[in-house]
Amino acid sequence: MARLVLFAFLTVVLTLSRGDDRPNFVFFVADDLGIGDVGCFGNDTIRTPNIDSIAAKGAKLTQHLAAAPVCTPSRAAFLTGRYPIRYGMAGRDLPMAFVQLAIPSGLPRSEVTLPQLAKDHGYQTALLGKWHLGLNCAWAGDHCHHPSDFGFDYFYGLPLSNGLDCDPEAKQTIGQYIARLLYRHLRLWEISTSIFVVILALKYFKYIQWKTLFLLSTFGWSLVACPYVALTNGRRLNCVMMRDDDIIEMPFNISTITPRMTLEAVRFLQESKTKNEPFLLEVSYWNVHTALVPYKEFRGKSRHGLYGDSVEEMDWSIGVVMATLERLGLTDNTFVYFTSDNGGHIETGEEGGSNGIYKGGKGQGGSEGGIRMPTVVQWPRKIKPGTVVTEATSQMDIFPTVADILKAPLPQDRVMDGRNILPLLGGALVTSPHEFLFHYCGGHLHAVRYMPREGNVTWKAHFVSYNWDPGTTGCFSLRICRCAGQEVTYNDPPLLYDVTSDPTEDRLISVGSDPRYPIVIDVIKKAVEEHVDSLTEVENQFGVSNFIPRPWLQECCNFPFCDCQENVNLSSLRING
Ligand SMILES: *[C@@H]1O[C@H](CO)[C@@H](O)[C@H](O)[C@H]1NC(C)=O
Ligand SMILES: *[C@@H]1O[C@H](CO)[C@@H](O)[C@H](O)[C@H]1NC(C)=O
Ligand SMILES: *[C@@H]1O[C@H](CO)[C@@H](O)[C@H](O)[C@H]1NC(C)=O
Ligand SMILES: *[C@@H]1O[C@H](CO)[C@@H](O)[C@H](O)[C@H]1NC(C)=O
C-alpha cells in the first residue's frame, strides 16, 4: 500500500514537473522599427526600459536579420522558417506587401508554422495584433488565410495592417491620392455618356437582349467603380479589427489598439496560468508604422514626436506583459523574443525612425538598415544575463529553435532555411550556424552573406544596389526603393564588404588588388547556384491581378454600413505614459 501511494505520489510529481518544464513562448514583433530607435542599441533619447531590460536579463542580438525588408514576406518567413520565395510570398515588384484586405492572396495552407508546431505539442496559442498574411480566398468569410488556419487558437487584432489609409486625421489618404491620379484623366462623365450611347445603339439595332444589356453595363460599371470605391474608402475597408472570425471594429481606432491588445495579453496569460497549460503568445504591434496615433496618455511624452511616443507606448505595453509574467511566476521558464519585421522607413522622414549607423531602410532587402533588426531574447533557464550575440542570425531561426526546445522534429518534406540558435544563445557555440544568408528584395536576390566556417569575417556581396537620392541612403523621390528595373544598379562584378569589421559598408574590398576577392566571390556564386537550384515553381501570391480588390471578398460588419466599434474599459490598465 505504502509503495502504491509513493508511486502515485511520484507520478503526480513527475507529471507536474514535466508540465512545468515545458517553456512558454512570448514573441513581440514591432512594425517598421529601426535598430537605431531602441535604448540598448544605442538610442539615448527614446526611452525603452522594458526592451532594454530583456537584453540585460538575457541576450542582445546585434546581427539578427529579417528575411525580407517589408512586412508581409518578413512575417511569413518568421512564422515558417523559410525564405518567402519558396512559397510564392515574394513579389516581383511593388507592392511587396499586401495593401488591401479584399484580395485572394495569403500564406499558402501548405506551410507549417511556428504556432502550429507549438499547438501540436499541446500549447495554447494566440496572436494579438497584426497578421498581414491574407484572409479570404473565394468569398468574404471563408477565412482560408486566417491566423486560425495556421495554428493560432485565438486571434484578436488586425487581419491587414495599420498604415495605408488608417489615419482618421489624414487630409488626403494614399488611396484617395492614387484615385485622383488614376481617375483625373479618366473623364467619368464623358466615358459614361459614350457607354450609354453605345448601349442604346446596340439595343436599337437589336444586337442584344435587355438582360444581357443589364449584365454588361453592370459589369462595365463595376470595373470602373469598384477600384474607385476601394481606393477612396481605404480606411473603412482595410482598417479592420477582428476577434477570431468576427469583425469587431471597422474602421478601427488606432489610438486604443495597443492598450486593448495589452489587456488581451494580460487576460491570455492569466487564463493559461489558471489552466496550467504552456502557451505561445505573439504580440504583434501596429507600432511604429505610420499612421502614428498613440493612445492619449503617450502623446507628447517623448522627445521624438509621435514616432517616439509610439515607440514608448509599445515599450510600456511590453512592460505590462513582462510584469504579468513575473506576477504569475512565469518569467523563469518563458522564452521571450522581441524583434521588428523590417527597418525604419527613412523616406517618411521623422515619422520613419532611425536605422542607426546602417545604410538604407524599409524596402531595401540588400541594405543593412532594411533587414538588421533590433532583437533581444530572454530565457533565464538557458540564457545568461548580458549575453551579446554579434554573429549573423536570422528571424527564420526561431522556428527551428522552438522545434529544438520542444524536441519536435523539423518538417522533412521541405527545405528549412532557419537554424537552431539555442547553442549560440546559451553560449555553447560562438559562430553563426549559417554559412550563407540570402538577402532578397521581393523576388530578386540582391545580396548574399557568407560566414566562412573559420575566421571572424562576415562577407557581404551586393549583386544589386539601389539608386539612392544623392547624399542619402534612400529613394525619397519614389517614397521607397524599387527592387528591379531602372531604379537599381546591377553590379558586375559584385560589390564586396566585410560587415564584421565594416558594418557600415564603407570600405569596398578591391576587385583588382585584394587577393581574397575572387576566392570569396567564387564561393558565393556557387552557393547562389545551389540556392537557386533548391527553389521550386510555386503559385505566386503577388500576381498583378491578385491586387485588384474583389467586392465579394470584402469583410463588412453591420451590413451594409460596414461600421462598428468595440467598447472596452481600459481603466484597469492604469496607463500613465
Ligand atoms: C478613439 O478612441 C478614443 C478613446 O476612446 C476617443 O477619444 C477618440 O475620439 C476615438 N477616435 C476616433 C477617430 O473614433
Ligand atoms: C533615437 O531615435 C530618434 C527617432 O528615430 C532619432 O531621431 C535619433 O537620432 C536616435 N538617436 C540615436 C542616438 O540614434
Ligand atoms: C580576427 O582574428 C584575427 C586573428 O585571430 C585578429 O587578429 C583580428 O583582430 C580579428 N578581427 C576582428 C575584426 O575581430
Ligand atoms: C471601468 O472599470 C473600472 C474598474 O476597472 C470601473 O471602476 C469603472 O466604473 C468602469 N467604467 C465604465 C465606464 O464602465
Side-chain angles (χ1 to χ4, degrees):
M1 183 64 196
R3 266 198 197 176
L4 205 65
V5 169
L6 186 68
F7 178 74
F9 176 74
L10 278 178
T11 315
V12 167
V13 168
L14 280 175
T15 317
L16 279 180
S17 62
R18 208 182 116 246
D20 284 346
D21 254 304
R22 290 193 292 177
N24 306 300
F25 299 96
V26 175
F27 304 131
F28 296 109
V29 182
D31 198 353
D32 288 10
L33 179 73
I35 194 166
D37 292 324
V38 178
C40 60
F41 285 90
N43 199 307
D44 48 13
T45 47
I46 291 190
R47 292 163 301 177
T48 56
N50 295 299
I51 301 171
D52 303 348
S53 157
I54 297 174
K57 293 177 183 158
K60 175 165 87 167
L61 280 64
T62 63
Q63 199 183 160
H64 193 63
L65 302 149
V70 292
C71 316
T72 300
S74 166
R75 285 157 190 268
F78 167 61
L79 289 181
T80 59
R82 288 151 48 79
Y83 290 111
I85 194 154
R86 296 203 189 280
Y87 40 87
M89 291 289 269
R92 287 277 127 195
D93 202 352
L94 290 178
M96 293 191 284
F98 299 155
V99 289
Q100 277 144 340
L101 198 55
I103 58 167
S105 311
L107 187 61
R109 293 280 283 267
S110 49
E111 286 305 300
V112 180
T113 63
L114 252 178
Q116 189 65 58
L117 191 76
K119 189 178 158 70
D120 290 349
H121 281 72
Y123 277 63
Q124 284 291 309
T125 58
L127 171 67
L128 308 178
K130 162 164 160 160
W131 170 242
H132 212 175
L133 293 171
L135 185 60
N136 293 314
C137 292
W139 46 275
D142 71 13
H143 294 176
C144 68
H145 297 300
H146 187 276
S148 64
D149 299 309
F150 297 94
F152 285 113
D153 294 316
Y154 181 60
F155 171 52
Y156 174 84
L158 293 57
L160 193 68
S161 176
N162 176 33
L164 316 165
D165 286 341
C166 302
D167 187 353
E169 279 147 42
K171 284 184 194 69
Q172 187 185 38
T173 65
I174 301 168
Q176 285 163 352
Y177 173 75
I178 298 172
R180 222 189 56 197
L181 281 185
L182 275 178
Y183 287 81
R184 186 167 48 192
H185 301 293
L186 233 151
R187 307 262 174 95
L188 280 184
W189 173 241
E190 284 151 37
I191 292 179
S192 45
T193 321
S194 330
I195 293 178
F196 190 63
V197 169
V198 171
I199 287 175
L200 275 189
L202 286 172
K203 189 62 210 155
Y204 182 75
F205 293 109
K206 299 201 165 45
Y207 284 122
I208 45 175
Q209 303 279 317
W210 277 116
K211 209 164 108 187
T212 326
L213 190 89
F214 175 73
L215 285 176
L216 266 182
S217 43
T218 312
F219 179 72
W221 270 107
S222 353
L223 227 69
V224 183
C226 284
Y228 187 81
V229 171
L231 284 167
T232 50
N233 290 283
R235 177 158 175 256
R236 182 166 308 279
L237 302 180
N238 294 318
C239 308
V240 167
M241 265 183 81
M242 298 177 78
R243 184 192 302 280
D244 288 330
D245 283 317
D246 301 327
I247 306 291
I248 55 166
E249 191 156 293
M250 184 176 189
F252 58 54
N253 184 338
I254 309 171
S255 79
T256 54
I257 293 178
T258 299
R260 282 190 276 163
M261 277 167 54
T262 310
L263 212 57
E264 290 280 332
V266 171
R267 198 179 53 74
F268 175 79
L269 295 177
Q270 276 164 346
E271 268 175 26
S272 302
K273 172 73 181 181
T274 313
K275 290 190 205 148
N276 198 21
E277 275 169 335
F279 57 83
L280 179 150
L281 169 65
E282 179 177 342
V283 190
S284 171
Y285 294 102
W286 68 259
N287 316 58
V288 288
H289 195 301
T290 48
L292 301 168
V293 193
Y295 192 58
K296 54 183 189 298
E297 306 289 342
F298 298 94
R299 276 176 170 246
K301 294 287 168 70
S302 80
R303 287 166 61 180
H304 292 285
L306 289 174
Y307 187 87
D309 298 347
S310 302
V311 178
E312 295 188 6
E313 175 185 50
M314 174 179 67
D315 186 79
W316 159 81
S317 168
I318 291 170
V320 174
V321 174
M322 296 306 284
T324 308
L325 289 176
E326 188 67 38
R327 179 164 58 77
L328 299 173
L330 297 169
T331 306
D332 201 37
N333 204 23
T334 300
F335 181 101
V336 176
Y337 169 79
F338 170 87
T339 197
S340 172
D341 60 354
N342 53 251
H345 190 183
I346 54 177
E347 285 89 350
T348 321
E350 273 186 0
E351 298 208 330
S354 151
N355 298 315
I357 58 168
Y358 303 104
K359 295 197 166 74
K362 177 177 182 176
Q364 302 180 30
S367 296
E368 292 295 279
I371 55 172
R372 203 189 266 239
M373 296 298 102
T375 306
V376 295
V377 187
Q378 175 188 311
W379 186 19
R381 287 229 174 136
K382 299 279 163 129
I383 305 170
K384 287 196 205 73
T387 301
V388 179
V389 176
T390 57
E391 286 284 295
T393 52
S394 163
Q395 294 182 340
M396 295 182 292
D397 297 339
I398 302 307
F399 185 114
T401 303
V402 169
D404 183 62
I405 294 170
L406 298 178
K407 307 213 168 32
L410 289 174
Q412 294 299 309
D413 59 345
R414 60 196 71 206
V415 182
M416 292 300 291
D417 297 303
R419 300 281 177 268
N420 176 12
I421 54 168
L422 202 55
L424 203 58
L425 294 170
L429 210 73
V430 292
T431 46
S432 171
H434 295 275
E435 193 171 8
F436 302 97
L437 279 168
F438 301 94
H439 302 311
Y440 277 90
C441 187
H444 307 270
L445 183 61
H446 277 192
V448 178
R449 250 183 170 73
Y450 166 37
M451 287 65 70
R453 299 293 75 193
E454 289 102 42
N456 50 13
V457 220
T458 304
W459 299 114
K460 189 173 165 204
H462 292 260
F463 292 89
V464 181
S465 310
Y466 310 95
N467 297 345
W468 291 327
D469 290 359
T472 75
T473 64
C475 306
F476 289 80
S477 39
L478 302 168
R479 269 186 73 86
I480 194 161
C481 291
R482 298 284 162 80
C483 298
Q486 294 180 339
E487 282 101 5
V488 298
T489 302
Y490 296 89
N491 304 314
D492 192 16
L495 311 179
L496 186 67
Y497 298 93
D498 169 15
V499 290
T500 295
S501 62
D502 176 26
T504 51
E505 301 177 275
D506 286 315
R507 299 196 299 275
L508 202 55
I509 306 290
S510 163
V511 184
S513 56
D514 196 315
R516 296 171 302 176
Y517 183 94
I519 304 169
V520 170
I521 289 296
D522 204 43
V523 175
I524 290 178
K525 282 191 169 159
K526 286 209 179 77
V528 170
E529 264 172 44
E530 259 180 54
H531 169 70
V532 171
D533 274 350
S534 78
L535 303 176
T536 49
E537 202 59 46
V538 289
E539 188 194 339
N540 182 13
Q541 300 294 326
F542 281 78
V544 178
S545 66
N546 286 19
F547 284 88
I548 301 169
R550 277 69 159 167
W552 54 92
L553 293 184
Q554 182 60 53
E555 296 279 352
C556 179
C557 60
N558 191 15
F559 187 82
F561 304 103
C562 300
D563 192 335
C564 51
Q565 253 92 53
E566 193 197 28
N567 279 321
V568 182
N569 184 349
L570 294 173
S571 61
S572 67
L573 280 171
R574 285 187 292 277
I575 303 167
N576 38 29

